[in-house]
Amino acid sequence: MRLFRDLPRGLTLSPEGAAYLARIVPAFDVIAEATETLAETPEGSVSVNGEPLFTHKWLVPRLTEFAALHPQVKIELDASAALTDVSRYEADLAIRFVPTGGAYADAEVLTDAPVYPYASPTLVADVLDDPADVLRYPLLQRRTDTLWARWVAAAGVAAPVAPLTVLRMTLDLEMASAIAGQGLSCCRPNWRTWT
């Protein structure tokens, strides 16, 4: 019986696999609880998954302070562009930039940071006064991202006439492409420092 299906965006559970997982998870929870009671000094570990740019620029610099405050907690860190499903135990915690609501209704909002178009001065020499002006340039977009569609709708302009350059890469590489003058990127204002 096939428990997984291979999709372009990765593996997913088949209906049979999902039903099987729902039945065995309680057993694993009981085993985990019994195992934890055996330990004399409880030591925990937390697996954290985040987008690569956020993980490198914001999370990693703060881990030293966290480790000093909580030396008994081991952090397992994963920087990945793939969306992690914590409900399937792929990570204990996933920090992602996602649209509110929908499939992520159980997520907690950490910030509602605005996003803006960014471009290299070699591509766009002057300030663009009209939001529709961005549509004259290539718009860089990661394969799983919908920021441009939402930004265009919020700015009240028509659908893009310039084709989106859809990239199979992480946000940091998208920003590098924008800096190199290959198109405009949609990102939060302090992406370099994540302060």
Side-chain angles (χ1 to χ4, degrees):
M1 180 168 301
R2 298 189 66 164
L3 299 179
F4 297 95
R5 291 185 302 161
D6 191 11
L7 300 176
R9 294 167 75 185
L11 288 177
T12 186
L13 286 171
S14 68
E16 296 83 6
Y20 180 63
L21 179 65
R23 302 261 335 252
I24 66 172
V25 163
F28 283 123
D29 290 342
V30 169
I31 293 169
E33 186 178 323
T35 304
E36 285 174 9
T37 61
L38 294 175
E40 292 179 14
T41 349
E43 291 185 9
S45 68
V46 178
S47 59
V48 180
N49 176 275
E51 292 178 332
L53 184 64
F54 173 83
T55 302
H56 295 142
K57 296 282 188 179
W58 191 89
L59 191 56
V60 167
R62 287 162 173 80
L63 287 180
T64 303
E65 182 181 351
F66 180 87
L69 292 171
H70 308 283
Q72 75 282 5
V73 178
K74 176 184 171 190
I75 300 291
E76 297 170 4
L77 192 58
D78 176 38
S80 167
L83 187 61
T84 299
D85 188 348
V86 294
S87 69
R88 293 191 302 185
Y89 300 99
E90 293 175 355
D92 295 316
L93 175 66
I95 304 171
R96 292 285 162 186
F97 181 78
V98 295
T100 55
Y104 312 104
D106 61 341
E108 288 188 41
V109 177
L110 298 178
T111 179
D112 57 354
V115 294
Y116 300 96
Y118 286 88
S120 168
T122 59
L123 179 66
V124 181
D126 297 319
V127 173
L128 303 178
D129 295 319
D130 184 352
D133 290 343
V134 302
L135 304 180
R136 294 185 286 135
Y137 299 93
L139 306 178
L140 303 172
Q141 177 172 293
R142 284 161 287 138
R143 188 170 57 103
T144 58
D145 194 9
T146 60
L147 276 179
W148 275 116
R150 290 185 287 143
W151 185 89
V152 165
V157 296
V161 291
L164 289 173
T165 301
V166 178
L167 305 171
R168 197 168 199 165
M169 59 177 65
T170 56
L171 178 58
D172 53 340
L173 294 177
E174 177 186 326
M175 293 305 296
S177 298
I179 290 168
Q182 297 168 3
L184 278 69
S185 178
C186 206
C187 188
R188 63 179 283 181
N190 53 352
W191 69 272
R192 284 183 184 267
T193 58
W194 288 88
T195 56

